[in-house]
Amino acid sequence: MYRSHTCGELRTPDIGTRVILSGWVQKVRDKGFVVWVDLRDRYGITQLVFDEQRTTATLLAEARKLGREFVIQVHGEVIERTSKNPQLSTGDIEILVSEIKILNPALLPPFTIEDDTDGGTDLRMKYRYLDIRRNPIKNNLIFRSKVAMEVRKYLSEQGFIEVETPYLIKSTPEGARDFVVPSRMNQGQFYALPQSPQTFKQLLMVGGLDKYFQIVKCFRDEDLRADRQPEFTQIDCEMAFVEQEDVLNAFEGLTRHLLKEIRGIEVEKFPRMTYDEAMKTYGNDKPDIRFEMRFGELNDVSQHRDFQIFNAAELVVGIAVPGGASLTRKEIDHLTDWLRRPQIGAKGMVYVRCNEDGSYKSSVDKFYDQEDLKKWAEATNAQTGDLICVLSGDTMSTRTQLSALRMEMAERLGLRNPLVFAPLWVIDFPLLEKDEETGDYHAMHHPFTSPKPGQLELLDTDPDAVRANAYDLVLNGNEIGGGSIRIHDKKMQSTMFRHLGFTEEEARAQFGFLMDAFQYGAPPHGGIAFGLDRLVAILGGQETIRDFIAFPKNNSGRDVMIDAPAPIDKAQLKELNLRLENNEG
């Protein structure tokens, strides 16, 4: 056998035991009369010792040939370590080696396989198989496995059935671009990789399975960022004979279970907030409620003077930054410059210091007196020592800009503690969003989301007012899950397609299979999908998902390790009846 024990399990009670260990050489320390080797595997590190008094000259010479990341097997005896290392779980013992075998030599790695490595992101992604040997990445992948196992355990105990759905499907509009796959046997036709198993899980409800889940790969051809990959994993779920309250309770239970089992944290009932309230109070639909800095609207107490910037604005709104009055004028100027960056787009910022003596000092003292500024402080709940930051302009842009400022100040003040978890349900989203350029409407979630009861008729008269029977689960300022109660009636689904600009023929061509299924007794149903990558990262105290994925893509959607995407052979193109521009033949 290759090993009798792992490199992380031997302890003082094992002293005197003959063992066989296998692993990678972490480090070799040669002091002339003695050689120490740190042997590493997934479970830990055990120190090996070779010395002139107890080791043969041949064995000592073999030890000196070892290099970093050599794969070796050793036989030896567990002995007490003279100089103990409290940093290692095996730090009280070492192995006096009697036999060594090099299973595979190794080139010198392009970066050190240590927790604090000298390898940059691009280099580590190119040699990802080496990066996985490092504890931070290895532990993240083990952590991800633990979360997935807890999800399966909980949902299975709640009566959910895991069902696999197809990866080669029909292209349907779900808000992002599809990845398409040409069909060799049906030339000129294409499969699409699923953006989600949405229609299939609805069909499973028509099929009577009642409770479904799947931990499933999904694919979206969209621009990337730290928390987005072209292929990602969802915890996809659906339930029959449910209303919104049933779904929220079921998956609040799952989230509470994960927080308790994974993080040891007990969370009571999750707060709920409507979409309109979230936008008005925090400027976005996934607010981080670990800290305050709620928006205070100031139109009524700021548009009565001669300050034309405020008077001309659709919205004047501010936040109180705790302790911000201590910021210097230079620091505030830098903050204003940060807001003016193209990524944020604010034209400027008005500020008010809430002084220790109860007075106020603002950048617009020329226009506003102490009584005015006191009302601003009351509207933003500013306390002594705070800094009130005020932006103005059109409603949507101003809220977005102030939301960015709120998050930036929370980051600078250390208010976004990754070990504090604040879940929140956001409900009552608009059913439709209007494209300001074209005037067309599209579904905020997807075309299968039902309107709130009694609001279907408003689609013809006031579509902006229609609220969706939809909900998002937010954790620490990140959307970790979203879902809705679905349309299960063919007539209502046809009405929805019509308002989304589908002709009857287009709707039939795209979704005829679903419409047909609704005619055979579709039950009321609804569900939710969690982003597993993002959920795992947040539970792990991070917001970047890449280090929790075994083989991620970079920000250009490339796998730099295997060099994909890549051209394909001309013979394959010909077989698929495809021709690329400027491609010879």
Side-chain angles (χ1 to χ4, degrees):
M1 59 182 175
Y2 280 108
R3 59 187 179 186
S4 61
H5 298 76
T6 69
C7 295
E9 68 176 291
L10 295 170
R11 302 289 188 273
T12 301
D14 298 301
I15 290 174
T17 304
R18 301 289 300 179
V19 299
I20 306 171
L21 300 182
S22 293
W24 289 265
V25 173
Q26 175 77 16
K27 189 181 295 183
V28 178
R29 300 185 299 282
D30 187 351
K31 296 298 183 182
F33 62 92
V34 62
V35 175
W36 290 285
V37 176
D38 288 344
L39 188 65
R40 183 194 73 243
D41 64 10
R42 166 188 151 185
Y43 305 94
I45 292 177
T46 296
Q47 180 170 281
L48 314 178
V49 61
F50 308 76
D51 65 37
E52 291 180 343
Q53 292 182 342
R54 296 173 292 182
T55 305
T56 67
T58 301
L59 196 57
L60 200 57
E62 285 293 310
R64 291 190 170 113
K65 293 179 184 178
L66 299 177
R68 281 180 178 265
E69 302 307 310
F70 274 42
V71 185
I72 65 171
Q73 180 194 56
V74 297
H75 295 240
E77 180 184 349
V78 181
I79 63 173
E80 186 173 5
R81 189 164 167 170
T82 304
S83 180
K84 294 179 171 56
N85 183 352
Q87 303 300 316
L88 288 179
S89 59
T90 59
D92 290 341
I93 60 93
E94 59 188 1
I95 309 300
L96 179 61
V97 177
S98 59
E99 182 181 337
I100 184 172
K101 181 179 181 181
I102 296 176
L103 300 175
N104 215 334
L107 296 174
L108 184 68
F111 55 88
T112 55
I113 313 297
E114 294 177 354
D115 291 2
D116 297 320
T117 183
D118 55 359
T121 300
D122 292 341
L123 185 63
R124 289 188 291 109
M125 285 187 70
K126 183 175 181 179
Y127 297 95
R128 185 64 166 183
Y129 45 86
L130 297 179
D131 202 25
I132 291 172
R133 295 180 190 175
R134 296 173 51 244
N135 283 327
I137 305 300
K138 176 198 72 177
N139 291 339
N140 284 348
L141 295 180
I142 294 171
F143 182 80
R144 180 190 178 106
S145 175
K146 182 179 179 182
V147 173
M149 291 295 288
E150 286 297 334
V151 168
R152 283 194 165 95
K153 174 184 171 185
Y154 181 86
L155 292 177
S156 297
E157 289 175 351
Q158 297 299 313
F160 284 80
I161 300 168
E162 185 167 13
V163 182
E164 293 181 69
T165 54
Y167 280 148
L168 295 176
I169 67 168
K170 185 178 185 178
S171 180
T172 58
E174 288 195 40
R177 297 182 190 89
D178 287 324
F179 283 101
V180 295
V181 181
S183 171
R184 178 183 60 82
M185 292 183 290
N186 301 276
Q187 292 201 354
Q189 297 184 318
F190 297 81
Y191 298 105
L193 299 179
Q195 295 182 35
S196 79
Q198 180 60 46
T199 54
F200 288 100
K201 66 179 177 179
Q202 292 189 246
L203 292 172
L204 288 171
M205 296 303 101
V206 177
L209 285 189
D210 192 70
K211 289 183 176 181
Y212 140 94
F213 85 99
Q214 181 181 191
I215 297 180
V216 58
K217 278 284 187 185
C218 300
F219 308 85
R220 293 180 186 174
D221 187 7
E222 56 187 356
D223 295 337
L224 306 181
R225 58 189 185 212
D227 63 345
R228 181 183 289 168
Q229 288 272 301
E231 52 179 317
F232 58 96
T233 306
Q234 283 187 180
I235 307 167
D236 198 59
C237 309
E238 198 78 4
M239 305 168 71
F241 301 108
V242 291
E243 297 177 337
Q244 177 175 292
E245 193 68 22
D246 300 308
V247 180
L248 298 192
N249 288 336
F251 293 99
E252 189 169 309
L254 170 62
T255 311
R256 275 205 303 270
H257 174 80
L258 293 175
L259 286 169
K260 180 179 179 180
E261 294 300 319
I262 302 298
R263 300 299 318 199
I265 293 171
E266 297 272 4
V267 179
E268 295 302 318
K269 195 77 175 174
F270 294 8
R272 297 182 186 182
M273 183 181 298
T274 66
Y275 169 87
D276 290 339
E277 183 184 354
M279 296 302 294
K280 184 174 182 178
T281 310
Y282 297 101
N284 69 68
D285 58 5
K286 47 182 186 295
D288 190 337
I289 59 171
R290 284 175 292 180
F291 54 93
E292 288 294 323
M293 285 195 276
R294 295 176 174 231
F295 288 13
E297 295 195 355
L298 305 174
N299 291 49
D300 292 344
V301 292
S302 67
Q303 293 181 328
H304 62 295
R305 300 290 186 181
D306 293 331
F307 191 53
Q308 292 306 314
I309 293 175
F310 282 0
N311 292 342
E314 184 180 5
L315 177 67
V316 184
V317 62
I319 56 172
V321 178
S326 62
L327 293 176
T328 65
R329 175 60 186 271
K330 186 176 181 180
E331 288 172 325
I332 294 174
D333 287 345
H334 285 159
L335 192 59
T336 304
D337 291 339
W338 182 88
L339 281 164
R340 285 180 173 140
R341 296 180 310 148
Q343 300 95 310
I344 308 297
K347 294 180 180 178
M349 182 182 79
V350 169
Y351 67 87
V352 182
R353 298 182 193 274
C354 302
N355 297 322
E356 295 294 335
D357 62 3
S359 66
Y360 303 96
K361 178 65 178 175
S362 81
S363 57
V364 286
D365 280 346
K366 178 180 177 181
F367 299 97
Y368 297 96
D369 59 27
Q370 290 292 298
E371 193 60 33
D372 291 325
L373 301 179
K374 181 180 179 182
K375 291 177 181 177
W376 294 15
E378 291 170 352
T380 57
N381 197 30
Q383 308 298 312
T384 298
D386 290 352
L387 181 75
I388 304 172
C389 299
V390 183
L391 302 182
S392 62
D394 69 89
T395 299
M396 286 304 296
S397 297
T398 304
R399 283 177 174 168
T400 300
Q401 293 157 4
L402 191 62
S403 176
L405 176 62
R406 177 179 181 268
M407 295 297 281
E408 176 67 15
M409 295 311 299
E411 198 70 48
R412 295 186 186 188
L413 294 170
L415 301 178
R416 303 190 69 206
N417 185 346
L419 301 181
V420 173
F421 297 92
L424 167 74
W425 285 110
V426 178
I427 59 175
D428 296 351
F429 283 81
L431 182 68
L432 305 175
E433 282 184 306
K434 189 175 184 179
D435 187 313
E436 296 301 329
E437 292 184 6
T438 66
D440 295 333
Y441 284 94
H442 62 268
M444 178 169 270
H445 278 73
H446 54 61
F448 317 109
T449 297
S450 67
K452 297 289 282 188
Q455 295 197 3
L456 181 64
E457 294 75 13
L458 288 174
L459 282 173
D460 289 318
T461 58
D462 190 4
D464 292 316
V466 182
R467 288 296 175 261
N469 217 337
Y471 32 83
D472 280 357
L473 182 55
V474 176
L475 184 61
N476 295 0
N478 294 271
E479 177 202 332
I480 61 167
S484 66
I485 300 300
R486 324 300 187 189
I487 296 170
H488 66 279
D489 174 76
K490 180 182 179 181
K491 183 179 179 181
M492 183 185 289
Q493 188 66 74
S494 296
T495 301
M496 184 66 175
F497 285 145
R498 177 168 54 84
H499 282 279
L500 292 173
F502 287 86
T503 66
E504 188 174 336
E505 293 74 19
E506 288 170 338
R508 181 72 199 171
Q510 291 278 359
F511 302 109
F513 64 94
L514 185 65
M515 308 283 275
D516 288 344
F518 285 172
Q519 298 178 103
Y520 290 95
H525 58 281
I528 194 169
F530 288 79
L532 179 65
D533 309 297
R534 191 178 299 171
L535 173 62
V536 169
I538 295 170
L539 290 175
Q542 301 179 40
E543 292 190 4
T544 302
I545 66 175
R546 187 177 293 154
D547 284 346
F548 291 85
I549 298 172
F551 300 103
K553 307 290 190 292
N554 67 12
N555 286 343
S556 299
R558 295 197 64 83
D559 186 324
V560 295
M561 183 184 67
I562 64 173
D563 193 23
I568 63 173
D569 188 83
K570 291 178 184 178
Q572 286 180 283
L573 288 172
K574 186 175 181 180
E575 194 172 41
L576 294 167
N577 198 30
L578 293 176
R579 182 186 179 92
L580 300 180
E581 286 187 25
N582 301 321
N583 187 65
E584 294 181 9

